[in-house]
Amino acid sequence: MRRTVFNEDHEAFRETIRDFIAAEVVPHYDEWREAGIVPRDFYRTLGELGVFGIEVPEEYGGAGQSSFKFQAVITEECARAGVSFGGAGVHTALCLPYLLAYANEEQKRRWLPAFVSGGMMTAIAMTEPGTGSDLAGMKTTARLSEDGTHYVLNGAKTFITGGVHADRVLVCARTAPPTPEDRRGGISILAVDAASEGYAVGRKLEKLGLKTSDTAELSFTDVKVPVEDLLGKEGEAFSYLMHNLPQERLGIAFGAYAQSAAAVAFATEYVRDRTVFGRTVASFQNTKFTLADCRSEVDAMQAVVDRALEAHDAGELTAADAASAKLFTTERAAVVIDKCLQLHGGYGYMMEYPIARLYADTRVSRIYGGTSEVMRSIVAKSMGL
Ligand SMILES: Cc1cc2nc3c(=O)[nH]c(=O)nc-3n(C[C@H](O)[C@H](O)[C@H](O)COP(=O)(O)OP(=O)(O)OC[C@H]3O[C@@H](n4cnc5c(N)ncnc54)[C@H](O)[C@@H]3O)c2cc1C
């Protein structure tokens, strides 16, 4: 079936990214996986390539595109090559929408040029050791000083992607306590400078997959955050999160589709080469049927994410649409990638094979950005249930 979601510009961009991955990522990838992090300078290289500025207006040094499709192309190309760009996806797909929508003019001038160059990497800190799905339950506080010049930030966050390399972190914190009528009110976003006194990066967490993205604990002890670094309005963060989470979920859905497509490609290539009992694995009817099933699943996933991508670019993707797309693609990806791994036999269990890494990497897509159970709750609510 002809795919209509990408135009010539996207395809030209795809070529650039594909060449870049082959030249600058693949040769170093094993080393980065071993280290559990990409080198800080890699982000400056991505900045020079223009990857961070695609959706940033030209006046701040970007390319001024208002489409998420370029990010989708990067996701597809990384999956195809069996690599990732570390925490870069969080910088562009998660943090940038907050900066574009809620930063004032002075903040945009201060932050966006460095955002584009990779000189200032960003992360977003919502989750805490005691609360993830239930964001209204967060305990981190930001108390306004008596002279009104700064907030005093105290608390801890965990599972923060890009937390080791981040120079500025969008920290969600309570500037006012919850009330029985409104648990969600009183949360604000502060764009906290990681060089501030009292800001500490804790452990870089050892994960099952996504080995090159630095996922860390953060803690804040009496961190003074200038009022100039409040993003948007005080107390309004919950509505900002609800507004931006659909894009995050679309990105995860797209990733699950792209990883599944890559898994089918890896398995198809493998079964053609591998011989057992004097014949190729591909020659067994079981293999053909399994891969045919997987392909049809990938086709369905592609239809869903492409439609969601179009809807998002048109400003029409609802929270329930994004939740439904994430739920479907991430749950099906688990099945498809598992089947593709099975066709690799023992080699599928070896981390040197990309299928093993995909298997580990994809697991978290049913957890982060909101779990499958939370996605089901959102979809059910939209059905009036
Ligand atoms: C690799 C990785 C990277 C991450 N990156 C970031 C990041 O950059 N920034 C950030 O802020 N967070 C990040 N997270 C956190 C992530 O978003 C949370 O882990 C996720 O939202 C789930 O929260 P939790 O871990 O506290 O699980 P919990 O909320 O404790 O959930 C535990 C279980 O309870 C279930 N559950 C919860 N609510 C309901 C309900 N209403 N009905 C039925 N079941 C329910 C869940 O589905 C789950 O099965 C990351 C997590 C991981 C693993």
Side-chain angles (χ1 to χ4, degrees):
M1 278 177 283
R2 195 165 60 88
R3 204 174 175 199
T4 54
V5 74
F6 297 121
N7 65 24
E8 283 171 10
D9 291 345
H10 302 119
E11 295 307 332
F13 180 69
R14 183 188 300 283
E15 289 299 313
T16 306
I17 294 296
R18 192 173 287 189
D19 293 348
F20 172 80
I21 288 173
E24 306 285 343
V25 180
V26 172
H28 309 291
Y29 202 67
D30 286 344
E31 209 180 299
W32 298 354
R33 270 200 307 124
E34 202 65 36
I37 194 164
V38 301
R40 178 63 181 83
D41 270 353
F42 176 64
Y43 292 135
R44 292 197 177 82
T45 312
L46 286 177
E48 279 166 26
L49 188 67
V51 162
F52 296 150
I54 296 163
E55 292 169 64
V56 173
E58 289 174 23
E59 58 202 290
Y60 309 111
Q65 299 287 331
S66 58
S67 170
F68 194 57
K69 291 181 183 175
F70 293 95
Q71 296 303 326
V73 168
I74 294 173
T75 302
E76 274 188 331
E77 289 307 309
C78 282
R80 204 187 65 86
V83 301
S84 97
F85 285 175
V90 164
H91 185 60
T92 46
L94 269 64
C95 297
L96 183 61
Y98 289 92
L99 298 180
L100 293 180
Y102 309 117
N104 60 35
E105 189 52 33
E106 182 275 326
Q107 290 171 332
K108 284 182 181 165
R109 294 205 177 285
R110 191 151 48 98
W111 294 331
L112 288 179
F115 179 100
V116 171
S117 70
M120 180 192 86
M121 289 305 293
T122 58
I124 182 160
M126 299 173 268
T127 308
E128 299 186 354
T131 194
S133 305
D134 179 19
L135 285 174
M138 69 176 65
K139 298 272 189 293
T140 297
T141 56
R143 184 178 47 77
L144 191 62
S145 64
E146 279 178 13
D147 63 4
T149 58
H150 61 270
Y151 292 93
V152 182
L153 181 69
N154 280 288
K157 298 285 178 180
T158 194
F159 305 150
I160 307 309
T161 306
V164 174
H165 277 325
D167 303 291
R168 201 167 276 272
V169 178
L170 309 185
V171 178
C172 302
R174 284 215 157 272
T175 42
T179 61
E181 301 76 43
D182 185 10
R183 286 183 72 235
R184 297 172 164 194
I187 298 172
S188 305
I189 301 180
L190 301 173
V192 181
D193 184 346
S196 308
E197 201 174 319
Y199 177 108
V201 178
R203 286 182 304 150
K204 180 169 81 59
L205 299 162
E206 186 64 35
K207 303 192 296 296
L208 181 69
L210 298 181
K211 293 289 185 184
T212 60
S213 81
D214 46 317
T215 304
E217 297 172 330
L218 303 178
S219 69
F220 320 108
T221 310
D222 293 332
V223 178
K224 281 187 179 176
V225 183
V227 286
E228 290 78 14
D229 292 349
L230 171 71
L231 199 61
K233 291 191 185 137
E234 197 181 277
E236 295 292 316
F238 209 91
S239 67
Y240 300 165
L241 297 176
M242 292 308 109
H243 183 260
N244 283 352
L245 279 168
Q247 172 166 310
E248 175 175 351
R249 289 168 184 159
L250 169 60
I252 295 168
F254 207 90
Y257 143 71
Q259 288 178 328
S260 305
V264 173
F266 292 139
T268 305
E269 192 183 334
Y270 183 83
V271 298
R272 283 201 178 111
D273 286 348
R274 177 74 175 171
T275 53
V276 290
F277 299 104
R279 53 196 279 204
T280 65
V281 175
S283 68
F284 294 103
Q285 189 185 51
N286 173 66
T287 304
K288 297 177 204 285
F289 281 12
T290 300
L291 284 172
D293 282 346
C294 288
R295 192 213 127 147
S296 64
E297 296 248 31
V298 170
D299 284 348
M301 285 186 227
Q302 189 190 71
V304 168
V305 293
D306 282 4
R307 215 170 131 221
L309 202 52
E310 292 289 14
H312 182 59
D313 270 14
E316 292 167 1
L317 187 76
T318 66
D321 294 337
S324 171
K326 180 180 186 285
L327 177 63
F328 174 70
T329 52
T330 59
E331 292 288 334
R332 296 321 299 166
V335 175
V336 166
I337 295 171
D338 185 66
K339 284 182 180 172
C340 290
L341 185 149
Q342 186 69 15
L343 291 174
H344 283 70
Y347 291 101
Y349 201 65
M350 300 298 136
M351 291 309 265
E352 65 200 83
Y353 278 75
I355 191 69
R357 304 200 294 269
L358 278 180
Y359 182 80
D361 290 352
T362 200
R363 183 62 184 89
V364 76
S365 65
R366 287 184 275 159
I367 298 170
Y368 67 6
T371 63
S372 286
E373 292 70 32
V374 170
M375 297 306 102
R376 289 186 182 103
S377 303
I378 294 169
V379 174
K381 196 172 167 195
S382 77
M383 297 162 70
L385 298 169

